[in-house]
Amino acid sequence: MLHQKLFFKDLLDYSSSKSTFLEKVDIKSLSRLSEISIDDADGNISISATLKLNDQLNPSISGEINTNLSLICQRCLGPLDWSKKIIYSIDFMNESHDQGGQNNIEYISINEEGIVLLDLLEGEVLSSIPMSIMHKNIELCENIDKLGMFLRSSDENTEKKNKPFSDLSEILGKDSN
Ligand SMILES: [Zn+2]
């Protein structure tokens, strides 16, 4: 249901019979989310959804999305685990019946091109991610680890390069005190 294209009539059918579903979606099938995730991460989102008619007898979808993502910290570019519960509720409207008088209700107008629910819900996740997402605390950032890795990987050249690196370690040691 999530992956296929649905038209207003389909949404109406599912909602009239009150459909619920639970699905775990691999991050690799979500192009916009995988763009901002760590390349080789096995992220996913779990979507629970109920399709039912709202007070205006239009289809609506609501539920929660639990994310299990490895995003890229905008400060250190290291992996940042982002687990969040997103509560959502979206009403649909048939575009041809859109009178423009629903000012106070947030809804999505469905035209003859239909809609893919997964795209919609991916958008809900994207809009919940802070613009410049980063580790909560600079001490959680990867800079120190990266430097450590760099030093370890340079061990083979230690003899030649030992001195500049030990100087650097000294400087960093002073900074952190
Ligand atoms: Zn960071």
Side-chain angles (χ1 to χ4, degrees), residues 73 75-76 135 140-142:
C73 171
R75 187 164 45 209
C76 67
H135 291 107
L140 297 171
C141 276
E142 298 260 305

Side-chain angles (χ1 to χ4, degrees), residues 2-3 21 23 25-37 43-49 61 64-67 69 71 82 86 88 90 92 108 115-129:
L2 275 179
H3 302 260
F21 61 91
E23 192 172 326
V25 181
D26 198 307
I27 187 73
K28 292 178 184 72
S29 62
L30 300 163
S31 57
R32 287 177 292 167
L33 274 175
S34 43
E35 224 168 74
I36 57 166
S37 297
N44 61 62
I45 60 174
S46 295
I47 298 169
S48 79
I61 187 171
E64 61 182 55
I65 304 170
N66 285 286
T67 69
L69 301 175
L71 304 177
W82 198 68
I86 299 161
Y88 68 92
I90 302 159
F92 299 106
I108 290 192
I115 189 170
V116 176
L117 289 178
L118 189 56
D119 290 345
L120 181 69
L121 297 177
E122 185 183 15
E124 287 290 306
V125 176
L126 283 163
S127 65
S128 302
I129 297 174

Side-chain angles (χ1 to χ4, degrees), residues 4-15:
Q4 73 205 64
K5 178 168 280 194
L6 299 175
F7 300 94
F8 189 78
K9 186 191 169 302
D10 302 317
L11 292 169
L12 206 54
D13 285 348
Y14 284 125
S15 299

Side-chain angles (χ1 to χ4, degrees), residues 158-175:
T158 306
E159 278 167 39
K160 265 187 271 174
K161 295 183 178 171
N162 193 31
K163 196 158 189 308
F165 279 127
S166 62
D167 286 352
L168 185 58
S169 304
E170 251 178 59
I171 292 159
L172 288 169
K174 277 173 195 160
D175 277 350

Side-chain angles (χ1 to χ4, degrees), residues 38-71:
I38 296 285
D39 277 344
D40 52 356
D42 298 318
N44 61 62
I45 60 174
S46 295
I47 298 169
S48 79
T50 301
L51 281 146
K52 61 173 195 264
L53 296 176
N54 64 16
D55 293 344
Q56 287 77 38
L57 299 180
N58 276 318
S60 72
I61 187 171
S62 59
E64 61 182 55
I65 304 170
N66 285 286
T67 69
N68 173 23
L69 301 175
S70 201
L71 304 177

